[in-house]
Amino acid sequence: MLGFVIWSIAAILFFLIGISGWKAQEAVGFFTFVKSPIVTDVTRYNHQVSILWMVSAVILEIMGIPFLFLEQNSPLYILMIFGVVILIIGMIITYIRIESKYKI
């Protein structure tokens, strides 16, 4: 149960990042320590990045549901970790597409 709570906190943080990006007036950055790109339409760019974060939060939360049913130290947790890696890679690819669409 504790694992699911921690997992849910991470998903909530993803969702909060999405909400803060949605309300931002300037172009939001995605990666750590990277300057925000100069974009053609700041509002649409921020909304696309925010949707990316929010959808990722929902997917992350769904991937955490097995914490409620699996026994401690189950080898099936490895699949969850691989799922997170695939999710992050998917987020990066999607962000690169969003950035290329709106970047000047």
Side-chain angles (χ1 to χ4, degrees):
M1 188 66 153
L2 181 63
F4 181 73
V5 171
I6 294 170
W7 194 277
S8 295
I9 290 171
I12 290 169
L13 289 175
F14 274 32
F15 201 81
L16 292 175
I17 291 170
I19 291 172
S20 69
W22 188 276
K23 295 179 179 183
Q25 300 298 320
E26 298 178 4
V28 294
F30 181 74
F31 301 113
T32 306
F33 302 116
V34 175
K35 293 169 92 175
S36 303
I38 299 172
V39 295
T40 55
D41 187 355
V42 174
T43 303
R44 291 183 73 191
Y45 167 79
N46 285 348
H47 288 178
Q48 291 288 316
V49 173
S50 297
I51 290 170
L52 170 64
W53 279 106
M54 291 179 199
V55 168
S56 298
V58 171
I59 293 171
L60 186 67
E61 185 65 25
I62 291 170
M63 287 181 358
I65 291 174
F67 272 118
L68 297 173
F69 305 108
L70 294 177
E71 294 181 19
Q72 188 174 359
N73 298 329
S74 173
L76 293 176
Y77 286 122
I78 294 172
L79 295 176
M80 294 170 61
I81 301 303
F82 284 139
V84 171
V85 171
I86 292 169
L87 174 67
I88 299 301
I89 291 171
M91 286 177 69
I92 293 168
I93 292 169
T94 305
Y95 175 74
I96 290 171
R97 289 184 181 168
I98 291 169
E99 184 182 39
S100 67
K101 182 177 177 182
Y102 291 103
K103 193 172 183 180
I104 294 177

